[in-house]
Amino acid sequence: MEASSSGSSISAVVGGKAKTHQPEGREDLQGNRLETQIWITPDVQKTDVDFSEILNAIQEIAKDVNIFFDELEGVNSPSKDDDSLLHHGNLTSTSDDASRLEVVGEEVPDKNKTNGLYFRDGKCRIDYILVYRKSNPQTEKREVFERNIRAEGIQMEKESSLTNSDIIFVKLHAPWEVLGKYAELMNVRMPFRRKIYYLHRRYKFMNRIEKQISRFRGWLPRKPMKLDKETLPDLEENDCYTAPFSQQRIHHFIIHNKDTFFNNATRSRIVHHILQRVKYEEGKNKIGLNRLLSNGSYEAAFPLHEGSYRSKNSIRTHGAENHRHLLYECWASWGVWYKYQPLDLVRRYFGEKIGLYFAWLGWYTGMLFPAAFIGLFVFLYGVTTLNHCQVSKEVCQATDIIMCPICDKYCPFMRLSDSCVYAKVTHLFDNGATVFFAVFMAVWATVFLEFWKRRRAVIAYDWDLIDWEEEEEEIRPQFEAKYSKKERMNPISGKPEPYQAFADKCSRLIVSASGIFFMICVVIAAVFGIVIYRVVTVSTFAAFKWALIRNNSQVATTGTAVCINFCIIMLLNVLYEKVALFLTNLEQPRTESEWENSFTLKMFLFQFVNLNSSTFYIAFFLGRFTGHPGAYLRLINRWRLEECHPSGCLIDLCMQMGIIMVLKQTWNNFMELGYPLIQNWWTRRKLRQEYGTQRKTSFPQWEKDYNLQPMNAYGLFDEYLEMILQFGFTTIFVAAFPLAPLLALLNNIIEIRLDAYKFVTQWRRPLASRAKDIGIWYGILEGIGILSVITNAFVIAVTSDFIPRLVYAYKYGPCAGQGEAGQKCMVGYVNASLSVFLVSDFENRSEPASNGSEFSGSPLKYCRYRDYRDPPHSPVPYGYTLQFWHVLAARLAFIIVFEHLVFCIKHLISYLIPDLPKDLRDRMRREKYLIQEMMYEAELERLQKERKERKKNGKSYHNEWP
């Protein structure tokens, strides 16, 4: 027999049977388990054993191991910042010490040593990365912190950056014992038994029908939107019952390989949990990685991506290199824009919180399909009925009707027929199907939210989030520092904690509310400035030397005002973020979730008001309070308020919504993807210039990930905010712009792939975190749904001409009293909706420069304007007519009836649709029953095995349930 000089193994046969002796190992200063294994294998065909040789070999191994321990104690002695753990950029070679621990017969793949996902020994997978600079003065805090990390059992290895020797990467690995211990403390649910699916009993008739349907489906082409199941890995936890991990009941769980039992996201989450509870200084508040990141001790902290997202080989022929590569090919690639999202894989890689965001975004996008289809139908209905619309016909044929100028002095008289194009465009959006579409969208918003609750329940069940409750959150460091002098007992934990007095909290909330009110006033001031711009420039454009602008002065005014408004919106958004951050910190929220909810509410309120204030002005105030010719209402007794176009105000609202929506979505998409792309491209360019292309490709994974952009400080806030604001645009003013759902759908199809591409390729891997739902955003969505009912009722009743046309058809038109309201009943509507004004009654500052002689060869005596007023020679000149009061009463009645009807439908739908699907409720009950039975059977089976073993060994024992 030969003894390996590296202390690897000795083989012998005793009585023809193999035996293995494993002496107790020791741990080095990094927490690595050092074991010397003596293997007795059946491969040696000898029956005569020379035990003296075995003893000599054991003594030689013991000497080598003692020498090795002495070397470790010398090498790993604590020094300043533990630089002895540091390896200077050597990626391929392994240390001699590590090679001594390798067991003969076990070979570590070279790929593990070079791909940057493992320690230098190629065995310990990197679970977390910390980054700091040598020049940083916070050395003592890091020393204590890292020493305490090793005391928790975390293994550590350091490596200097290849591009900057000042940057140090700290690689962390959690061994099985640490993972098991903290997985039990964190109640991490793990698979323990495969699910058994039971089919309901079906009648023979139903079976025959299903066979015929399946045979018919076989003739149809394969569903293109479904993902190729052969490409996706078998996600075992989705096919197994799960239970909180327990080391005492470890035999219940399905453990094929301890290294892969906890997936990478779970391992990183456990390590992060440990890092958040490790002290770095003496004192009760000197604890946690977040504080070290905030004070600059560490520059970055992140889990690693699972390798490159690209591969030279095709995924169809060679399979995926890793989960990141798989996500890129079947989720983030533009070629799969039409396919469903692999949500289970997203959840496994990024965690439940990000998985829920993409599940919600996908559900919202899917629900936009019927809304976009109906909106497109309303628009096409307007196109097909355009030639049959009596109102637009009369406008286009009204060459003898001369309209009064829409601004002072410079605006000329104009024929009503000049607005023929605008009247036709208005009909595309304001037609008989608009009211139906507004009701549909109000109901759609409710159905969307109710079915999302059901969808969320299914996802929560599949992802084991039903019984998950958030841990008691830690108090924010800022709150502790502010109120550390005053403490009271926590009713949950029973421990003393900082306490904020009620008076102090109220005073801070009052100051914060005042700040919010002030910023809303700033928004109103910005809208006021836009209004002044509109009333001033309409006269300027009317006197412009270019005929195109001069003849379309009102459209030019509206278009430029919308673009300027968009620029102001984007500038104010930057200011609002800083103000919201300041006010939220001023409130001193106790926990991170309270801080996040407070900041979210402020930012949404600011941006919602900022984005929609001008739209509200155009929808409900433009042209409503202008007075009439000869007695115009003026702003600061100087500027005449802007009037609507002769064809109505709806065209202005359509332009406002269309331009803002398109520009906002384009800008957001650029900032989400374009900005990180440019930053990462610039970083890669500098690396290529300094180190060349070949050197860059050899960078380890931690170096590549460090050069990526970190996820923004507010997590998913920007992604949710963008979609919620879009949801508001899609529902609040949808009666004025039926194409809004279609634009939102097209944007979201791109948005899903943009966000996926950003998460997979441009950002560092975010920490996997759990969540049961989308949080405060659901309440905001419900508030927007309620607001949309009110605004759409007012848009139809006040902004559009739906109600005046209806009143005319039933009361004043040719069909009055007949109960009809077709196109033939609208004959004469345009003339009835216009009042007469005597030109000589103009004020001096309103009198136009021309006298209108270009129309009839002589000065005009009368002009027309949109209103229901008496003629100038009546007993009460320019007083409201009876038709005005009928229209006003009809508008108010419509608003009340519309709101009550839609709210009743919304509440009825909400009542009829249960939050939990019936089949899911039955599955949950049955699974609970089966889990109890399985646990009982497993324990009974274990006890029976123990009883048999003890009987076999002749030992007595007491009956005891473990």
Side-chain angles (χ1 to χ4, degrees):
M1 287 207 58
E2 296 180 0
S4 173
S5 60
S6 60
S8 56
S9 66
I10 296 179
S11 298
V13 175
V14 182
K17 295 184 180 180
K19 294 184 180 181
T20 303
H21 303 279
Q22 296 185 357
E24 293 184 1
R26 292 179 57 184
E27 291 185 357
D28 64 2
L29 295 178
Q30 301 178 43
N32 293 319
R33 188 70 176 173
L34 305 179
E35 294 183 357
T36 305
Q37 297 181 338
I38 304 176
W39 296 86
I40 311 298
T41 63
D43 298 334
V44 183
Q45 301 298 323
K46 292 175 70 176
T47 54
D48 298 329
V49 180
D50 188 354
F51 287 97
S52 61
E53 290 186 11
I54 297 177
L55 292 176
N56 293 332
I58 292 176
Q59 290 175 359
E60 291 177 7
I61 295 170
K63 291 178 182 179
D64 289 340
V65 172
N66 289 331
I67 293 171
F68 180 63
F69 285 146
D70 294 338
E71 290 175 355
L72 281 179
E73 289 174 0
V75 171
N76 292 328
S77 58
S79 62
K80 187 173 182 179
D81 223 357
D82 285 342
D83 286 338
S84 58
L85 298 175
L86 185 60
H87 303 296
H88 299 282
N90 188 357
L91 303 178
T92 57
S93 63
T94 57
S95 64
D96 295 335
D97 297 341
S99 64
R100 291 190 182 186
L101 295 178
E102 294 180 9
V103 178
V104 169
E106 292 185 10
E107 294 184 1
V108 179
D110 292 336
K111 185 178 179 181
N112 288 359
K113 300 178 183 179
T114 59
N115 61 9
L117 299 177
Y118 291 82
F119 277 17
R120 293 168 60 82
D121 60 3
K123 296 179 181 179
C124 300
R125 188 176 187 91
I126 300 172
D127 297 322
Y128 213 80
I129 291 289
L130 302 177
V131 186
Y132 70 89
R133 291 182 180 270
K134 283 184 179 180
S135 57
N136 190 285
Q138 308 281 353
T139 304
E140 294 184 2
K141 293 180 180 179
R142 282 198 306 271
E143 282 185 11
V144 176
F145 186 70
E146 292 172 5
R147 194 179 307 123
N148 290 332
I149 289 175
R150 291 195 296 272
E152 291 288 340
I154 300 291
Q155 298 177 13
M156 184 184 301
E157 192 174 75
K158 294 186 179 183
E159 189 117 11
S160 61
S161 172
L162 294 176
T163 60
N164 187 349
S165 59
D166 189 42
I167 297 176
I168 305 299
F169 295 98
V170 182
K171 300 175 284 185
L172 304 179
H173 166 77
W176 169 259
E177 294 77 12
V178 176
L179 292 173
K181 172 185 174 183
Y182 280 95
E184 186 171 0
L185 292 175
M186 296 168 64
N187 289 323
V188 176
R189 300 182 69 90
M190 301 304 294
F192 74 92
R193 186 70 63 90
R194 286 198 169 274
K195 290 183 178 179
I196 303 172
Y197 296 98
Y198 292 90
L199 297 176
H200 298 288
R201 292 183 74 184
R202 297 182 182 273
Y203 296 102
K204 292 183 179 180
F205 177 72
M206 294 298 296
N207 287 333
R208 289 174 185 173
I209 292 178
E210 288 186 356
K211 286 181 180 178
Q212 295 297 328
I213 292 174
S214 62
R215 189 176 298 173
F216 175 73
R217 283 178 178 172
W219 299 337
L220 297 176
R222 185 179 170 187
K223 291 183 179 179
M225 292 186 293
K226 284 195 172 182
L227 292 165
D228 186 6
K229 291 185 178 179
E230 296 178 359
T231 307
L232 294 174
D234 180 22
L235 303 181
E236 188 175 66
E237 58 264 33
N238 293 333
D239 295 327
C240 297
Y241 297 116
T242 61
F245 183 76
S246 172
Q247 290 182 315
Q248 291 183 348
R249 301 175 183 270
I250 196 171
H251 52 280
H252 291 167
F253 296 91
I254 304 174
I255 305 178
H256 301 302
N257 185 349
K258 288 186 177 182
D259 293 334
T260 59
F261 178 64
F262 296 104
N263 61 45
N264 296 332
T266 304
R267 296 173 69 101
S268 300
R269 186 156 57 92
I270 291 174
V271 173
H272 181 79
H273 176 88
I274 297 171
L275 297 180
Q276 291 295 89
R277 286 154 180 80
V278 172
K279 283 193 172 186
Y280 60 86
E281 268 185 359
E282 290 300 326
K284 63 178 181 180
N285 298 330
K286 308 296 185 180
I287 185 174
L289 175 64
N290 285 347
R291 288 184 173 87
L292 290 175
L293 288 171
S294 60
N295 65 25
S297 298
Y298 287 101
E299 191 171 289
F302 53 89
L304 285 180
H305 278 295
E306 296 181 5
S308 176
Y309 63 90
R310 293 185 183 275
S311 176
K312 297 179 181 178
N313 303 318
S314 172
I315 192 173
R316 295 185 178 276
T317 56
H318 292 75
E321 297 286 338
N322 49 64
H323 283 171
R324 189 187 185 194
H325 178 215
L326 182 61
L327 280 171
Y328 177 77
E329 292 290 341
C330 68
W331 183 49
S333 175
W334 293 105
V336 294
W337 63 269
Y338 58 93
K339 289 187 177 291
Y340 293 128
Q341 299 183 86
L343 292 177
D344 290 329
L345 190 60
V346 175
R347 172 246 182 169
R348 180 168 184 165
Y349 194 83
F350 292 110
E352 286 79 3
K353 194 170 186 177
I354 293 175
L356 272 173
Y357 163 71
F358 281 103
W360 176 84
L361 181 57
W363 183 257
Y364 171 45
T365 304
M367 289 293 290
L368 278 173
F369 274 96
F373 176 78
I374 300 296
L376 183 62
F377 170 79
V378 171
F379 179 78
L380 294 178
Y381 174 81
V383 173
T384 55
T385 59
L386 184 61
N387 295 328
H388 306 286
C389 179
Q390 181 63 32
V391 176
S392 59
K393 280 183 182 180
E394 291 186 0
V395 171
C396 294
Q397 296 170 2
T399 55
D400 56 338
I401 298 178
I402 308 301
M403 302 297 295
C404 297
I406 59 175
C407 68
D408 293 337
K409 292 187 179 181
Y410 299 106
C411 292
F413 295 100
M414 59 180 294
R415 286 189 175 92
L416 180 60
S417 59
D418 292 341
S419 60
C420 175
V421 175
Y422 303 112
K424 289 182 177 181
V425 172
T426 300
H427 176 74
L428 299 179
F429 302 102
D430 185 13
N431 51 62
T434 304
V435 178
F436 159 75
F437 185 59
V439 175
F440 170 81
M441 286 303 297
V443 174
W444 173 87
T446 302
V447 171
F448 162 65
L449 293 176
E450 291 300 320
F451 276 95
W452 163 247
K453 286 195 287 189
R454 294 166 62 87
R455 174 63 177 157
R456 188 207 65 82
V458 173
I459 291 174
Y461 169 78
D462 290 337
W463 292 355
D464 286 320
L465 300 173
I466 294 290
D467 299 324
W468 179 78
E469 294 293 339
E470 292 189 30
E471 300 177 4
E472 185 184 359
E473 290 191 79
E474 295 180 0
I475 299 175
R476 296 178 66 242
Q478 296 86 344
F479 185 88
E480 287 181 337
K482 181 71 177 177
Y483 301 104
S484 58
K485 295 181 180 179
K486 190 172 184 179
E487 293 184 344
R488 73 170 183 179
M489 298 296 292
N490 186 311
I492 299 174
S493 63
K495 298 178 181 178
E497 66 177 20
Y499 169 67
Q500 183 182 17
F502 180 76
D504 180 74
K505 188 173 184 178
C506 286
S507 61
R508 291 178 178 275
L509 288 176
I510 291 172
V511 173
S512 179
S514 302
I516 295 172
F517 178 75
F518 173 76
M519 293 309 300
I520 292 176
C521 292
V522 172
V523 176
I524 296 173
V527 175
F528 186 74
I530 295 294
V531 171
I532 294 177
Y533 168 83
R534 293 173 70 105
V535 299
V536 170
T537 54
V538 69
S539 300
T540 305
F541 285 139
F544 214 74
K545 60 180 181 179
W546 293 348
L548 179 63
I549 296 179
R550 185 172 61 250
N551 297 334
N552 299 278
S553 59
Q554 199 163 15
V555 176
T557 300
T558 302
T560 54
V562 171
C563 293
I564 293 173
N565 184 32
F566 175 75
C567 295
I568 293 175
I569 287 171
M570 301 312 296
L571 290 174
L572 287 179
N573 281 346
V574 179
L575 175 64
Y576 291 155
E577 182 175 345
K578 297 183 183 301
V579 172
L581 193 62
F582 171 76
L583 293 178
T584 306
N585 290 330
L586 182 67
E587 290 177 8
Q588 290 291 350
R590 179 176 170 272
T591 62
E592 288 295 336
S593 64
E594 291 178 8
W595 187 95
E596 185 177 339
N597 289 340
S598 178
F599 179 76
T600 298
L601 196 59
K602 290 181 182 64
M603 279 297 292
F604 169 76
L605 188 62
F606 288 157
Q607 295 217 20
F608 180 81
V609 174
N610 188 27
L611 194 63
N612 293 286
S613 53
S614 296
T615 311
F616 271 90
Y617 164 75
I618 293 173
F620 305 127
F621 297 99
L622 178 63
R624 302 286 177 270
F625 309 101
T626 58
H628 62 87
Y632 287 116
L633 297 177
R634 296 182 179 273
L635 200 63
I636 322 177
N637 200 27
R638 181 178 179 182
W639 294 297
R640 170 182 162 184
L641 290 175
E642 188 181 6
E643 291 186 41
C644 289
H645 198 273
S647 60
C649 296
L650 201 66
I651 187 68
D652 296 292
L653 184 58
C654 291
M655 288 183 62
Q656 173 81 12
M657 289 193 61
I659 294 175
I660 291 292
M661 195 168 184
V662 171
L663 289 180
K664 187 78 167 62
Q665 292 180 347
T666 304
W667 176 259
N668 285 339
N669 289 337
F670 169 75
M671 291 302 295
E672 281 189 10
L673 185 63
Y675 184 65
L677 271 174
I678 293 172
Q679 285 186 312
N680 290 334
W681 170 81
W682 184 254
T683 303
R684 290 194 300 269
R685 182 175 177 272
K686 290 196 300 184
L687 292 176
R688 279 197 301 269
Q689 289 178 346
E690 294 180 11
Y691 301 98
T693 306
Q694 296 298 327
R695 182 64 172 169
K696 178 182 172 298
T697 56
S698 65
F699 285 167
Q701 190 63 44
W702 57 81
E703 191 101 33
K704 294 177 183 177
D705 286 5
Y706 177 70
N707 291 326
L708 296 177
Q709 298 302 307
M711 189 175 179
N712 58 64
Y714 309 128
L716 293 169
F717 170 80
D718 289 336
E719 278 71 24
Y720 273 117
L721 181 64
E722 178 188 355
M723 290 296 103
I724 300 300
L725 291 175
Q726 184 207 82
F727 179 80
F729 254 102
T730 306
T731 55
I732 292 178
F733 293 106
V734 73
F737 192 57
L739 293 179
L742 180 62
L743 292 179
L745 174 63
L746 297 176
N747 175 79
N748 286 7
I749 292 174
I750 299 172
E751 179 75 21
I752 290 176
R753 305 304 161 181
L754 275 180
D755 285 348
Y757 185 83
K758 178 177 61 180
F759 272 93
V760 174
T761 68
Q762 301 302 309
W763 279 1
R764 295 173 190 162
R765 186 176 183 176
L767 180 71
S769 56
R770 308 199 85 189
K772 292 183 69 172
D773 49 36
I774 61 175
I776 194 175
W777 296 109
Y778 184 83
I780 293 174
L781 286 171
E782 285 188 323
I784 291 176
I786 294 171
L787 181 62
S788 67
V789 177
I790 302 171
T791 53
N792 282 303
F794 275 89
V795 166
I796 295 172
V798 177
T799 310
S800 74
D801 289 337
F802 175 77
I803 298 300
R805 292 175 186 176
L806 209 61
V807 171
Y808 177 81
Y810 284 103
K811 185 67 178 176
Y812 298 96
C815 305
Q818 300 179 14
E820 297 181 14
Q823 291 297 325
K824 63 179 181 178
C825 301
M826 298 303 297
V827 176
Y829 167 76
V830 173
N831 186 60
S833 64
L834 299 175
S835 299
V836 180
F837 178 73
L838 186 63
V839 174
S840 60
D841 290 342
F842 267 123
E843 300 171 297
N844 291 331
R845 53 182 172 178
S846 299
E847 190 172 355
S850 64
N851 57 8
S853 57
E854 64 270 16
F855 295 104
S856 59
S858 59
L860 286 176
K861 291 185 179 180
Y862 300 98
C863 65
R864 309 292 293 273
Y865 62 98
R866 283 174 56 93
D867 209 342
Y868 297 100
R869 292 182 182 270
D870 292 323
H873 303 296
S874 63
V876 183
Y878 308 116
Y880 287 118
T881 62
L882 183 62
Q883 188 175 355
F884 169 81
W885 299 109
H886 283 162
V887 171
L888 180 62
R891 282 173 167 165
L892 294 176
F894 175 83
I895 291 171
I896 294 173
V897 171
F898 181 88
E899 287 182 358
H900 282 71
L901 176 64
V902 174
F903 278 130
C904 287
I905 295 174
K906 285 170 69 72
H907 287 298
L908 180 63
I909 292 174
S910 179
Y911 173 76
L912 292 177
I913 300 177
D915 295 345
L916 206 63
K918 184 179 182 301
D919 60 337
L920 177 61
R921 187 183 297 110
D922 294 340
R923 283 166 58 194
M924 290 171 59
R925 290 175 178 173
R926 178 162 185 79
E927 182 167 317
K928 186 177 181 180
Y929 168 77
L930 289 175
I931 288 175
Q932 291 175 348
E933 291 292 320
M934 290 175 185
M935 297 293 285
Y936 173 76
E937 291 175 2
E939 288 294 334
L940 191 61
E941 183 180 352
R942 186 175 67 86
L943 286 175
Q944 289 175 350
K945 286 183 179 179
E946 290 181 359
R947 184 182 295 111
K948 289 180 180 179
E949 289 179 359
R950 293 186 180 183
K951 283 183 178 180
K952 186 177 180 180
N953 296 331
K955 296 180 181 179
S956 62
Y957 62 94
H958 297 286
N959 290 323
E960 182 180 351
W961 188 265

